[in-house]
Each structure stands twice: as C-alpha cells, then as structure tokens.
Amino acid sequence: MTIKSRKITRDPPGKIGLALGSGSARGGAHIGVIKALSDAGIRVDYVAGTSVGALVGAVFASGRINTLEDVILRLDWKGIIYFFDMVFPRSGLIDGNKIADFIRRHVEGKNIEDLTLPFCAVSTDLATGNEVVIKEGDVIEAVRASISVPGIFTPVRKGGMNLVDGGLVNPVPVNVVRQMGADFVIAVDLNHDIVGKKGVVNHSIFKSETVSSDRDVNSRLPVKGKILTALNRRVRAIDVPALSQIRQWMTRDQLPNIFEVLVTSINIMERQITATRLKTDPPDLLIQPKLGHLKFLEFHRAKEAILAGYEEAKSSIDLLFGRSGTLPLRDPS
C-alpha cells in the first residue's frame, strides 16, 4: 500500500469521513476535535459514531454541536445524576429514557435521513455479537442503542434484536465511514491510554454510609464523591429482595463501585479490540487525546476533555499537513 500526496486546499480532494469512538465522559473531546477541524477549514462529509461518539456525532450531523458544548459545560453533579433513572433488576441499572430526552432536545430531525450530514450509529446485537450499523430511521433510537453499556443501560429492542453498546465490536468505526463513501478517514480514539491509570474508586455503590443531607454532600465531598453518594441513595431506595442480598455481599468487602467495575472491564476489552481493528483498517488520520485519567462518571470535566480533544487534533492536523502543504492520502491499490 503506497501513500500519495495531494495538494491541500480548504476543501481537500475527495470526501472526508469522521469516525468518533466510544469513551463515556471522555466524549467531550469529540467536540474539541470537531472545532479543530472546523478551524483548519476541513469539511466533514460523513460521520459515524460508537457509544458517546454516536451521541456527539448525531448532534454534529444535525448542525447543533455548539449548543451541545454549551450544555455539557454547564453540567454539575446534580445534572449528571438526573440522567440515572434506576430500574434494577431489569436488564440494566438505568432505563435511559432521560438520556433519550436529552438527545431529542439537541438533535434537529426525527430520522437519520433528515440530518444535515450522512450519519451512522454503531451498536451490537446482544444475541449474535454482530456489529449493527444503523443508518436510517429514528435517530434517538439509534443513539440510545449505541450508548447502551451492558449491565448499566437497558438494551434497545429493534427489528427483533436487543441492541447494546457498539464498542463491544467496533469502538472506533473506521470501516463504517469508509463504507459510507469516505476517501479520507479521520478517527478519534478516546480509550488508548485508559488501562493502567489510577482512578477506580474503592467504595462500593452499596456501601452503607449515611449522609444527612444534600447540603452536607455539597460541603464535604468532591464532585465525583457527590455523584457516587447520590447513586448509593438511589440504589438503596430500590426495594428488591435480591438487591438486599447483594448489599450484604458488597458491604463486607471494599469493592470498587459497580459502575466502574462494569465500565473498566468493558474499556479493557475495547482497548484491545480498537488496537486490533486500527491495525487491520487504519484511518488516514488518527487522533488520540490523552484522557485516560477521566473516568466514566466525570462528565463535569467536559471543559478539560474538549480542550484535550482540540489540542490533540490541532497538533495532529499540523503534523499531517506539515510544511509541504500536502495532504497524504492512502492509495488502496
């Protein structure tokens, strides 16, 4: 496989595809990447996303990325907790209806076909393990399926399938934007440096500590502690016999928070899958913001994630273009 260089213009030859990867709270980096591409005069023609990448991608494809940025920059711990509508013991801890409402408020157009840019969301068929690319129909349903982390969000029932997080099979959907028609693929990987980072909290979500009031929580705990304490309350409030037994098991040992256990386990798997897929189907430009220190619940650190995404994208773009003013494109022949 050879590399050819084409003269760069503000609208490079060929179609540009953007593949936005999974990464929970690190997803704010996608907004920074999109801003950097815009500032560099790079026009995106296709966008595909997995998990949080699908959420940001859908909003971007609808032309409302600036609105999304404004909203997530205002998120505090109470705003984050609002989205956790506990439904245990169904097929996930969180129903996801509030997240669906959030997406609905920030996406113009009911169906994917109505979006300004061609868009695809990647999910996984829970029964077969197959990759499911959703490229038409209800955009809210598509995103909701793509973000359904197993064990945390309930799956989405669609076409006889139970759909969950696309990161299980395709964390960074390079192949999808190529299939959409992209000649040049820009991929954003948010999980490359997450394994081995410290940050898993050694507090059970079922731990039996008590907090007297929200005011006490505000005064005594950092933001992440407030989120975990509020989640503790919600779980303790669910009156389910099986959950009582789980509480007894969990309070005997100082185990990590259940959300972190599930998500960290999936992240380890996704990192390996991503590395393999990027080797077999490499993008033309790979952007990897250094965000391994940000964890699943830390959406309140959106400003940090957006800045990291912007700076890494700008650096990658400058390095790719270089002083020669040429844009290298892979020749499939």
Side-chain angles (χ1 to χ4, degrees):
M1 182 177 291
T2 60
I3 298 292
K4 291 183 177 180
S5 293
R6 300 181 186 177
K7 289 294 183 181
I8 187 173
T9 67
R10 285 312 178 185
D11 289 312
K15 299 291 185 178
I16 305 295
L18 182 60
L20 301 178
S22 60
S24 59
R26 295 179 290 278
H30 288 319
I31 297 175
V33 169
I34 290 168
K35 291 176 66 175
L37 294 175
S38 177
D39 287 350
I42 297 174
R43 186 193 65 217
V44 174
D45 299 289
Y46 305 102
V47 59
T50 295
S51 197
V52 72
L55 193 160
V56 176
V59 177
F60 173 50
S62 72
R64 303 191 64 184
I65 196 68
N66 291 333
T67 301
L68 178 63
E69 180 183 12
D70 292 341
V71 170
I72 68 169
L73 285 175
R74 294 196 301 268
L75 271 181
D76 58 12
W77 73 274
K78 290 183 179 179
I80 296 167
I81 286 298
Y82 168 80
F83 295 110
F84 287 80
D85 40 348
M86 299 289 189
V87 295
F88 188 92
R90 291 170 57 188
S91 50
L93 286 170
I94 301 166
D95 199 27
N97 288 332
K98 290 180 179 178
I99 291 180
D101 291 339
F102 174 81
I103 301 167
R104 190 172 291 109
R105 290 195 300 270
H106 296 93
V107 174
E108 289 285 352
K110 180 179 179 181
N111 293 321
I112 292 174
E113 301 93 310
D114 301 327
L115 301 179
T116 304
L117 290 176
F119 168 73
C120 288
V122 179
S123 59
T124 304
D125 182 351
L126 194 58
T128 65
N130 291 335
E131 173 183 315
V132 177
V133 178
I134 306 175
K135 55 187 177 181
E136 59 185 8
D138 190 338
V139 65
I140 310 303
E141 182 181 60
V143 175
R144 172 67 181 80
S146 188
I147 66 172
S148 295
V149 179
I152 294 181
F153 291 99
T154 55
V156 169
R157 186 74 174 169
K158 178 180 175 64
M161 299 178 290
N162 288 309
L163 301 180
V164 294
D165 191 343
L168 298 178
V169 291
N170 196 355
V172 185
V174 172
N175 65 310
V176 176
V177 283
R178 285 203 195 284
Q179 291 165 5
M180 293 171 74
D183 302 298
F184 188 92
V185 176
I186 301 169
V188 187
D189 171 21
L190 304 181
N191 297 323
H192 70 105
D193 66 339
I194 56 173
V195 177
K197 296 282 185 176
K198 294 182 179 180
V200 175
V201 179
N202 291 320
H203 295 288
S204 166
I205 196 172
F206 301 107
K207 188 178 176 182
S208 57
E209 80 277 7
T210 58
V211 180
S212 57
S213 69
D214 285 338
R215 183 173 300 175
D216 291 335
V217 172
N218 286 330
S219 64
R220 299 200 311 238
L221 293 173
V223 172
K224 190 172 183 181
K226 295 170 187 176
I227 295 170
L228 296 178
T229 298
L231 290 175
N232 283 337
R233 284 203 187 105
R234 293 198 176 188
V235 174
R236 287 199 301 268
I238 302 172
D239 184 17
V240 178
L243 187 55
S244 298
Q245 182 61 59
I246 293 173
R247 287 195 191 100
Q248 293 178 25
W249 294 334
M250 297 287 281
T251 53
R252 281 199 292 267
D253 299 304
Q254 291 298 304
L255 296 178
N257 153 311
I258 191 172
F259 287 90
E260 302 254 5
V261 170
L262 288 168
V263 175
T264 301
S265 300
I266 291 171
N267 282 341
I268 292 170
M269 177 192 67
E270 288 187 2
R271 182 186 180 220
Q272 300 302 320
I273 295 172
T274 300
T276 299
R277 295 199 67 145
L278 289 178
K279 285 181 180 179
T280 58
D281 190 9
D284 299 281
L285 175 60
L286 177 61
I287 300 171
Q288 296 179 308
K290 298 174 180 63
L291 293 168
H293 57 287
L294 294 189
K295 302 305 174 185
F296 175 69
L297 297 173
E298 296 184 319
F299 290 92
H300 59 285
R301 299 174 70 177
K303 184 176 181 180
E304 186 177 343
I306 292 171
L307 181 60
Y310 183 90
E311 291 181 343
E312 187 65 26
K314 185 177 185 305
S315 176
S316 298
I317 292 167
D318 290 345
L319 182 64
L320 179 71
F321 292 167
R323 295 182 179 181
S324 66
T326 59
L327 175 62
L329 295 179
R330 184 173 288 100
D331 183 353
S333 64

